[in-house]
Amino acid sequence: MEVNLKKLLMFTLFGIILVANLSALTVENILLEGVSDENINLVKKTLDIKKGDVFNPEKLNLAVKSIYKIGIFSDIKTKIVSDDNINCIIEMEFAEFPLVDKVSIKGNDKIKLDKIKEQITFFAGQIYDPSRVKKDISNIKKLYTDEGYLNSTVKDSLIINNDDNSKEVAYIIDEGNKIRVRNIVFEGNSIVEDKKLKKTFKKTKERNLWLLRTGEFDQEKFDEDLTKLEEYYKDNGFLDYELLDY
């Protein structure tokens, strides 16, 4: 009867499946697949595991985490192969984030393109970086919120052109409608009348059907008016004033 002694030891970033005594294995070889020539030395340096080393699962686990932090890989698959429970081969398969050829903005109409571009830190010619793209989305959303488009949404899409294999990052905007202030309502003000409090709102006004642009909501101006409201209360001796919600 022939017995196949080959054992496949699966190693993952979040845990280790032990099939043999891993700490007794010696690293016979390290195979790296999917790494471009320009990144291979960086990966080897970060991995810091060489042929002849005693295999250390914890060290490999930490190395994989460090390689992820470089920010150029979307996925890393790692497995340990041993034929004799003495030596092992570390096989690592990498998926690199693509080099982006184009960055575009789609769906904007109410806010000028140049103003939106000022919020973007990711450019063509760079490696796709999800964290930077996510930050850009947050910046664009804040711009729209500050301009009164509270219902706007912003998302991104990585587009791969099959004809020439070019990659495009598109920021896709749904502007929604601009929010207008119908009424300014105060609750809990048992001493100071509404009309006095409304006078503190110098920049946020209720909508007037006869005046086209009145009532437009501007987050920055609204925040300034809230500060004026607080100043009014404190200047008039209400030291325990607190704005609970809005």
Side-chain angles (χ1 to χ4, degrees), residues 3-24:
V3 179
N4 187 354
L5 297 178
K6 183 172 183 178
K7 298 188 183 300
L8 182 63
L9 312 182
M10 298 304 297
F11 174 90
T12 71
L13 178 61
F14 302 106
I16 303 170
I17 303 173
L18 297 177
V19 182
N21 186 2
L22 296 182
S23 61

CSV table of all heavy atoms in Angstrom, one decimal, residues 3-24:
chain,number,residue,atom,x,y,z
A,3,VAL,N,1.5,5.1,0.6
A,3,VAL,CA,1.0,6.2,1.4
A,3,VAL,C,1.6,7.6,0.9
A,3,VAL,O,2.8,7.7,0.8
A,3,VAL,CB,1.3,6.1,2.9
A,3,VAL,CG1,0.8,7.2,3.7
A,3,VAL,CG2,0.8,4.7,3.4
A,4,ASN,N,0.8,8.5,0.6
A,4,ASN,CA,1.2,9.8,0.1
A,4,ASN,C,1.5,10.7,1.4
A,4,ASN,O,0.6,11.0,2.1
A,4,ASN,CB,0.1,10.5,-0.7
A,4,ASN,CG,0.6,11.8,-1.3
A,4,ASN,OD1,1.7,12.3,-1.0
A,4,ASN,ND2,-0.2,12.4,-2.2
A,5,LEU,N,2.8,11.0,1.6
A,5,LEU,CA,3.1,11.7,2.8
A,5,LEU,C,3.0,13.2,2.6
A,5,LEU,O,3.2,13.9,3.6
A,5,LEU,CB,4.6,11.3,3.2
A,5,LEU,CG,4.8,9.9,3.5
A,5,LEU,CD1,6.3,9.7,3.8
A,5,LEU,CD2,4.0,9.5,4.7
A,6,LYS,N,2.7,13.7,1.4
A,6,LYS,CA,2.6,15.1,1.2
A,6,LYS,C,1.5,15.7,2.0
A,6,LYS,O,0.4,15.3,2.0
A,6,LYS,CB,2.4,15.4,-0.3
A,6,LYS,CG,2.5,16.9,-0.6
A,6,LYS,CD,2.4,17.1,-2.1
A,6,LYS,CE,2.5,18.6,-2.4
A,6,LYS,NZ,2.6,18.9,-3.8
A,7,LYS,N,1.8,16.8,2.8
A,7,LYS,CA,0.8,17.4,3.6
A,7,LYS,C,0.7,18.9,3.1
A,7,LYS,O,1.8,19.5,2.9
A,7,LYS,CB,1.1,17.4,5.1
A,7,LYS,CG,1.1,15.9,5.6
A,7,LYS,CD,1.3,15.9,7.1
A,7,LYS,CE,1.4,14.5,7.6
A,7,LYS,NZ,0.2,13.7,7.3
A,8,LEU,N,-0.5,19.4,3.0
A,8,LEU,CA,-0.7,20.8,2.6
A,8,LEU,C,-1.1,21.5,3.8
A,8,LEU,O,-2.2,21.3,4.3
A,8,LEU,CB,-1.7,20.9,1.5
A,8,LEU,CG,-2.0,22.3,0.9
A,8,LEU,CD1,-0.8,22.9,0.3
A,8,LEU,CD2,-3.2,22.2,-0.1
A,9,LEU,N,-0.3,22.5,4.2
A,9,LEU,CA,-0.6,23.2,5.4
A,9,LEU,C,-1.1,24.6,5.0
A,9,LEU,O,-0.4,25.4,4.4
A,9,LEU,CB,0.6,23.4,6.3
A,9,LEU,CG,1.4,22.1,6.6
A,9,LEU,CD1,2.6,22.4,7.5
A,9,LEU,CD2,0.5,21.1,7.2
A,10,MET,N,-2.4,24.9,5.3
A,10,MET,CA,-3.0,26.2,4.9
A,10,MET,C,-2.8,27.2,5.9
A,10,MET,O,-3.1,27.0,7.1
A,10,MET,CB,-4.5,26.0,4.6
A,10,MET,CG,-4.8,25.0,3.5
A,10,MET,SD,-4.1,25.4,2.0
A,10,MET,CE,-4.9,26.9,1.6
A,11,PHE,N,-2.3,28.4,5.5
A,11,PHE,CA,-2.0,29.5,6.4
A,11,PHE,C,-2.8,30.7,5.9
A,11,PHE,O,-2.8,31.0,4.7
A,11,PHE,CB,-0.5,29.8,6.3
A,11,PHE,CG,-0.1,31.1,7.1
A,11,PHE,CD1,0.2,31.0,8.4
A,11,PHE,CD2,-0.1,32.3,6.5
A,11,PHE,CE1,0.6,32.1,9.1
A,11,PHE,CE2,0.2,33.4,7.2
A,11,PHE,CZ,0.6,33.3,8.5
A,12,THR,N,-3.5,31.3,6.8
A,12,THR,CA,-4.3,32.5,6.4
A,12,THR,C,-3.8,33.7,7.3
A,12,THR,O,-3.2,33.5,8.4
A,12,THR,CB,-5.8,32.3,6.6
A,12,THR,OG1,-6.1,32.2,8.0
A,12,THR,CG2,-6.2,31.0,5.9
A,13,LEU,N,-4.2,34.9,6.9
A,13,LEU,CA,-3.9,36.1,7.6
A,13,LEU,C,-4.5,36.1,9.0
A,13,LEU,O,-3.9,36.6,10.0
A,13,LEU,CB,-4.3,37.3,6.9
A,13,LEU,CG,-4.1,38.7,7.5
A,13,LEU,CD1,-2.6,38.9,7.7
A,13,LEU,CD2,-4.6,39.8,6.7
A,14,PHE,N,-5.7,35.5,9.1
A,14,PHE,CA,-6.4,35.6,10.4
A,14,PHE,C,-6.3,34.4,11.2
A,14,PHE,O,-6.9,34.3,12.3
A,14,PHE,CB,-7.9,35.9,10.1
A,14,PHE,CG,-8.0,37.2,9.3
A,14,PHE,CD1,-8.4,37.1,7.9
A,14,PHE,CD2,-7.8,38.4,9.9
A,14,PHE,CE1,-8.5,38.3,7.2
A,14,PHE,CE2,-8.0,39.6,9.1
A,14,PHE,CZ,-8.3,39.5,7.8
A,15,GLY,N,-5.6,33.3,10.8
A,15,GLY,CA,-5.5,32.1,11.6
A,15,GLY,C,-4.7,31.1,10.9
A,15,GLY,O,-4.4,31.2,9.8
A,16,ILE,N,-4.3,30.1,11.7
A,16,ILE,CA,-3.5,29.0,11.1
A,16,ILE,C,-4.1,27.7,11.4
A,16,ILE,O,-4.6,27.4,12.5
A,16,ILE,CB,-2.1,29.0,11.8
A,16,ILE,CG1,-1.4,30.4,11.7
A,16,ILE,CG2,-1.2,28.0,11.3
A,16,ILE,CD1,-0.2,30.6,12.5
A,17,ILE,N,-4.2,26.8,10.3
A,17,ILE,CA,-4.7,25.5,10.5
A,17,ILE,C,-3.4,24.6,10.6
A,17,ILE,O,-2.6,24.4,9.7
A,17,ILE,CB,-5.5,25.0,9.3
A,17,ILE,CG1,-6.7,26.0,9.1
A,17,ILE,CG2,-6.0,23.6,9.4
A,17,ILE,CD1,-7.4,25.8,7.8
A,18,LEU,N,-3.3,24.0,11.8
A,18,LEU,CA,-2.1,23.2,12.1
A,18,LEU,C,-2.3,21.7,11.6
A,18,LEU,O,-3.3,21.1,12.1
A,18,LEU,CB,-1.8,23.2,13.6
A,18,LEU,CG,-1.4,24.6,14.1
A,18,LEU,CD1,-1.1,24.5,15.6
A,18,LEU,CD2,-0.1,25.1,13.4
A,19,VAL,N,-1.5,21.2,10.7
A,19,VAL,CA,-1.6,19.8,10.3
A,19,VAL,C,-0.4,19.1,10.7
A,19,VAL,O,-0.3,17.9,10.8
A,19,VAL,CB,-1.8,19.7,8.8
A,19,VAL,CG1,-1.9,18.3,8.3
A,19,VAL,CG2,-3.0,20.6,8.3
A,20,ALA,N,0.7,19.8,11.0
A,20,ALA,CA,1.9,19.2,11.5
A,20,ALA,C,2.6,20.1,12.5
A,20,ALA,O,2.1,21.2,12.7
A,20,ALA,CB,2.8,18.8,10.4
A,21,ASN,N,3.7,19.8,13.0
A,21,ASN,CA,4.5,20.7,13.9
A,21,ASN,C,5.2,21.7,13.0
A,21,ASN,O,6.3,21.5,12.6
A,21,ASN,CB,5.4,19.8,14.7
A,21,ASN,CG,6.1,20.7,15.8
A,21,ASN,OD1,5.8,21.9,15.9
A,21,ASN,ND2,7.0,20.1,16.5
A,22,LEU,N,4.5,22.8,12.8
A,22,LEU,CA,5.1,23.9,11.9
A,22,LEU,C,6.4,24.4,12.4
A,22,LEU,O,7.3,24.7,11.6
A,22,LEU,CB,4.1,25.0,11.8
A,22,LEU,CG,2.8,24.7,11.1
A,22,LEU,CD1,1.9,25.9,11.0
A,22,LEU,CD2,3.0,24.1,9.8
A,23,SER,N,6.6,24.5,13.7
A,23,SER,CA,7.8,25.1,14.3
A,23,SER,C,9.0,24.2,14.0
A,23,SER,O,10.2,24.6,14.2
A,23,SER,CB,7.6,25.3,15.8
A,23,SER,OG,7.4,24.1,16.4
A,24,ALA,N,8.8,22.9,13.6
A,24,ALA,CA,9.9,22.0,13.4
A,24,ALA,C,10.4,22.1,11.9
A,24,ALA,O,11.4,21.4,11.5
A,24,ALA,CB,9.5,20.6,13.7
